Amino acid sequence: MTVELTLRRPDDWHVHLRDGEALMSVLPHTAKQFARAIVMPNLKPPVTTVALAGAYRDRIRAARPPGSDFEPLMTLYLFDKMPVEEIDRAKAAGFIAGCKLYPAGATTHSDAGVTDIRHIDAVLARMAELGVVLQVHGEVTHEHVDIFDREQRFIDDVLAPLVERHPTLKVVFEHITTRAAVDFVVGARAGVAATITPQHLLFNRNEIFRGGIRPHFYCLPVLKTEPDRRSLIEAATGGNPRFFLGTDSAPHARGAKESSCGCAGMYSAHAALELYAEAFEEAGALDKLEGFASLFGPDFYDMPRNPGTITLRREEWSVPSAFAFGSDVVVPMRANEKIRWRMIST
Ligand code: DOR
Ligand code: ZN
């Protein structure tokens, strides 16, 4: 049995760090686990300009624990009237890793997102020209489409045509949840990749309702079926460089989740690699974790792989019931339960 696993230092290609006091609370977790992270722009108000992204980047860097060399990789929030020139500014700035497409209404703080993909066609064309990556929240938002079918419908109605219309645009299909998404990414043209979260590798949708309604298992896209989960495990552990790590760690205050209308998002930053290690171990594929966590992401983004390593040890530990979250608390994945792996060095 493997008892210690040393990997090249990994990155998180999709995380929510929030802002203000909440940022101060959660950043140390991500900065301990990862060298770099792609930071989502769905603040309120959203990060729609390079100037806003630059200021947010400064706040994140200032929130790092002493001695941390963690680097935030910033994103811009696409909206219907985004000027094409903002893409030129993003390219010139050098610290913008991509632009995020939130279909309006798809998830937390997405109301200012894109109402129709055709509205941003010129922006997407400029991104393709300049090599700026598009990160996609891949769900349609129509009320009449079943929530469990929204990713598949997005592939058919929006993503497949978009990838064809912009044949050189680099696209990351974020936090994929279905077999349909895996199949799409495997069969897509070059320049299309996907991130996969720990929760979609570890749980199926039964978890949301096990013994009662469990709001801490609600995220978007929502957990899917067991065959979908198995398909994601195969994709993540199969060594295909199109699939890489993106936690989508998305903290909300406990009361905002344990509510009659609870927010979407699961917090995994405290133990992200350990949770992925469990999923890979169950699939008998611990040897594939390094590619997924540390190699394929930087390769896709044309960034250098990190120097240095981290080590995980097979050693059980208990996750606390909550972590501080500004003046509130956030309930983490596996709260009050055990995790089989522990990071012992960074
Ligand atoms: O569950 C989610 N939470 N999905 C998202 O797309 C957004 C995120 C958040 O910001 O809370
Ligand atoms: Zn997200």
Side-chain angles (χ1 to χ4, degrees):
M1 193 203 293
T2 310
V3 288
E4 268 189 26
L5 189 62
T6 295
L7 310 176
R8 184 185 285 268
R9 213 172 153 206
D11 306 296
D12 185 351
W13 299 93
H14 183 133
V15 72
H16 298 267
L17 295 178
R18 312 306 191 207
D19 208 348
E21 286 190 311
L23 165 66
M24 301 296 288
S25 299
V26 300
L27 183 65
H29 283 151
T30 292
K32 177 164 185 261
Q33 295 235 330
F34 299 107
R36 299 168 289 196
I38 293 218
V39 183
M40 288 297 128
N42 63 332
L43 301 183
K44 219 165 169 78
V47 181
T48 49
T49 66
V50 175
L52 287 169
Y56 185 29
R57 177 174 182 252
D58 292 343
R59 296 196 295 281
I60 296 168
R61 296 176 102 207
R64 291 178 297 193
S68 168
D69 63 352
F70 171 78
E71 275 302 329
L73 308 170
M74 309 309 293
T75 56
L76 296 185
Y77 183 111
L78 293 168
F79 61 107
D80 285 350
K81 293 198 160 30
M82 175 114 155
V84 173
E85 300 74 49
E86 202 61 45
I87 303 304
D88 298 69
R89 285 191 280 274
K91 184 72 187 177
F95 58 81
I96 304 287
C99 297
K100 177 75 186 278
L101 169 63
Y102 284 106
T107 187
T108 309
H109 299 164
S110 66
D111 27 298
V114 174
T115 60
D116 186 323
I117 192 74
R118 281 170 297 218
H119 290 142
I120 59 161
D121 229 39
V123 167
L124 295 175
R126 192 73 182 136
M127 288 170 62
E129 240 177 284
L130 297 181
V132 176
V133 174
L134 174 70
Q135 292 112 359
V136 179
H137 183 110
E139 291 188 286
V140 296
T141 55
H142 320 298
E143 274 299 313
H144 63 271
V145 179
D146 190 281
I147 189 167
F148 293 104
D149 298 335
R150 288 181 185 176
E151 186 172 273
Q152 162 111 51
R153 277 293 287 276
F154 185 87
I155 297 168
D156 300 340
D157 296 357
V158 184
L159 191 55
L162 181 154
V163 159
E164 290 303 304
R165 220 165 43 246
H166 298 282
T168 59
L169 181 63
K170 286 175 98 169
V171 179
V172 182
F173 192 176
E174 299 291 344
H175 43 55
I176 58 168
T177 63
T178 58
R179 180 187 295 269
V182 169
D183 291 347
F184 172 77
V185 172
V186 167
R189 63 152 169 82
V192 176
T195 54
I196 307 181
T197 74
Q199 63 264 30
H200 293 103
L201 291 175
L202 289 167
F203 309 119
N204 65 40
R205 64 192 189 185
N206 286 350
E207 208 60 29
I208 309 168
F209 306 105
R210 193 159 52 80
I213 188 149
R214 307 198 336 148
H216 296 291
F217 287 89
Y218 174 55
C219 63
L220 286 171
V222 71
L223 297 173
K224 299 296 193 305
T225 66
E226 182 60 12
D228 289 311
R229 188 187 74 86
R230 289 189 176 283
S231 181
L232 295 170
I233 289 275
E234 263 176 50
T237 63
N240 183 338
R242 288 174 183 254
F243 299 101
F244 47 84
L245 184 158
T247 63
D248 199 19
S249 178
H252 290 277
R254 171 189 256 153
K257 301 241 351 134
E258 297 173 5
S259 150
S260 62
C261 187
C263 294
M266 293 173 69
Y267 185 65
S268 60
H270 62 296
L273 282 165
E274 291 92 332
L275 291 162
Y276 281 113
E278 283 196 1
F280 276 64
E281 184 179 35
E282 260 169 51
L286 277 174
D287 60 318
K288 296 295 198 300
L289 184 59
E290 185 176 43
F292 178 80
S294 315
L295 311 181
F296 305 153
D299 293 356
F300 181 85
Y301 275 92
D302 283 326
M303 292 181 193
R305 295 173 174 182
N306 295 312
T309 58
I310 58 112
T311 299
L312 296 167
R313 180 183 289 159
R314 209 172 189 295
E315 175 183 303
E316 218 172 55
W317 59 289
S318 297
V319 178
S321 57
F323 290 106
F325 187 58
S327 53
D328 217 309
V329 294
V330 57
V331 177
M333 268 172 77
R334 285 284 168 82
N336 293 320
E337 289 177 46
K338 291 191 171 21
I339 293 191
R340 277 205 301 277
W341 288 89
R342 171 167 228 157
M343 190 189 281
I344 55 164
S345 68
T346 54

